[in-house]
Amino acid sequence: MHTFIVNDLICEACSGAISDTIRHADPHARVHIDLEQFRVEIESQLSREELALRLMEAGYTPDPQ
């Protein structure tokens, strides 16, 4: 599981956009988003780097951890 802090994650629409973007790249991915903590947890076969790139392509800025 990969965990990202995404400080520009502010609403349900953001949550949906992130989930859609990740699942487009990996249809079997599991995405859990905690809006209050700005946390995105992803179970995927994609690498952490690839997932971070997908988040950035969707318009979000994951903090490095």
Side-chain angles (χ1 to χ4, degrees):
M1 174 164 330
H2 301 285
T3 301
F4 298 91
I5 300 300
V6 182
N7 289 315
D8 45 1
L9 177 65
I10 57 172
C11 65
E12 289 295 327
C14 297
S15 178
I18 288 173
S19 294
D20 290 347
T21 297
I22 297 301
R23 289 193 183 115
H24 181 72
D26 178 0
H28 301 290
R30 292 184 183 177
V31 182
H32 174 72
I33 298 174
D34 182 340
L35 288 172
E36 291 180 13
Q37 299 295 318
F38 305 102
R39 184 179 315 229
V40 178
E41 297 175 338
I42 305 169
E43 287 185 44
S44 173
Q45 293 185 358
L46 298 175
S47 69
R48 180 174 182 78
E49 293 78 17
E50 178 69 21
L51 293 169
L53 179 64
R54 297 295 177 165
L55 290 170
M56 288 185 283
E57 287 175 352
Y60 299 93
T61 309
D63 284 346
Q65 288 192 356

